[in-house]
Amino acid sequence: PSKRDASATLETAQQRFQQQPGFFSSFLIPDRPREPAPLTGEPKTQAASLEIAHLAVAYRVTQDPQYLAQLEKWRPQILQFKPVVTRSVWGPSGLTSGHLLFGFAVAYDMLKGHVDAELEDGLRQVILAQGRQSYRDWKVMDGVPYEQNHCIIPICGLGMASMALQDEYPEARKWAAFSRHFVGRTLEILPQDGWYFEGFSYWNYTMKMIVAHAATFKNVAGVDLFAAPPLANSPLYLAHNT
């Protein structure tokens, strides 16, 4: 049932684009000649991962090949991908790994069956390689501040990856259980009134990962994390800051 619901959501978006293309104008990425950002663990990798996800969604919604053509610029890097290793909670590597998992989970979910076999397998292998690496890294992490964005972002990415691959790789279900318990602990520790202790800019940076994970988890498992604090109260925090 969840897969049918997801298909219906995509079909609704496609129909709306046909009827109201202007509604998506602020979301769509214009074609612009430039070299693709690296997927090598640099800070720019975070933005590149989100852009790959963005392009995959834009392609499926609009059916416009220009978005797939932009994503194609990353094909060589995708096929030669080496996972980012996280040895400490602090530093950019964990954040980067989370963005990689998030971005490629979305891209794979959108493009599976809609691109050639080489690219589809490349997207899958990025998730598999980074998911395995991140699961190994976080299983042995010494000291876990659950409320920190340096923790929750990579764990939400791992959860997204697990849900993208769990039907194909049973090991991904271990990632799912690990991330589910981790996210649950984080939501218990974060302020229950929706306030975010690192300020609004970090709320914006972190919450997009938590919300995406919660939305995917609701669709896959039927568990609504939005019904309870702190997510239930996050709109009040957003309204207050606005």
Side-chain angles (χ1 to χ4, degrees):
S2 62
K3 290 184 178 180
R4 287 197 295 271
D5 292 342
S7 297
T9 300
L10 179 60
E11 290 171 5
T12 299
Q14 291 170 335
Q15 292 169 6
R16 185 164 192 175
F17 175 75
Q18 294 171 359
Q19 297 165 2
Q20 299 175 272
F23 177 79
F24 293 88
S25 60
S26 63
F27 168 79
L28 299 176
I29 299 175
D31 190 15
R32 51 192 187 279
R34 71 190 190 292
E35 290 299 314
L39 300 178
T40 55
E42 300 178 19
K44 290 182 179 180
T45 300
Q46 296 181 34
S49 303
L50 296 181
E51 184 165 355
I52 287 169
H54 203 149
L55 290 168
V57 175
Y59 172 65
R60 289 299 309 283
V61 170
T62 68
Q63 304 294 297
D64 188 334
Q66 72 155 313
Y67 299 110
L68 188 58
Q70 291 183 62
L71 191 149
E72 279 279 355
K73 297 174 183 177
W74 276 279
R75 183 187 288 255
Q77 293 191 61
I78 291 171
L79 298 181
Q80 300 172 17
F81 177 78
K82 301 296 182 185
V84 174
V85 178
T86 303
R87 294 187 172 90
S88 168
V89 170
W90 311 109
S93 59
L95 299 172
T96 300
S97 70
H99 282 76
L100 280 164
L101 289 167
F102 171 88
F104 278 86
V106 172
Y108 180 63
D109 190 55
M110 287 287 100
L111 298 178
K112 184 179 179 181
H114 297 273
V115 293
D116 63 77
E118 181 185 62
L119 182 56
E120 180 179 312
D121 185 61
L123 295 170
R124 184 189 302 110
Q125 292 304 318
V126 169
I127 303 170
L128 191 60
Q130 188 61 62
R132 285 170 171 167
Q133 183 66 55
S134 293
Y135 181 63
R136 287 195 298 266
D137 293 342
W138 282 93
K139 283 284 286 184
V140 299
M141 194 64 69
D142 183 21
V144 179
Y146 286 98
E147 79 285 359
Q148 253 295 330
N149 67 75
H150 281 264
C151 290
I152 193 58
I153 285 176
I155 295 302
C156 282
L158 184 62
M160 297 283 284
S162 72
M163 290 181 276
L165 293 185
Q166 64 179 357
D167 291 337
E168 300 174 72
Y169 295 91
E171 67 183 282
R173 297 176 188 178
K174 294 181 180 179
W175 312 348
F178 180 77
S179 61
R180 171 66 184 95
H181 290 299
F182 200 115
V183 170
R185 181 60 61 85
T186 295
L187 294 179
E188 291 174 354
I189 290 174
L190 288 177
Q192 298 297 284
D193 62 357
W195 172 73
Y196 192 65
F197 71 102
E198 287 191 289
F200 189 64
S201 62
Y202 271 101
W203 180 91
N204 186 54
Y205 179 63
T206 305
M207 197 57 67
K208 64 176 179 284
M209 306 294 284
I210 298 176
V211 166
H213 180 278
T216 307
F217 192 67
K218 180 180 179 181
N219 190 57
V220 171
V223 177
D224 188 4
L225 299 177
F226 297 106
L231 293 183
N233 294 323
S234 287
L236 298 175
Y237 177 65
L238 175 61
H240 173 75
N241 279 275
T242 301

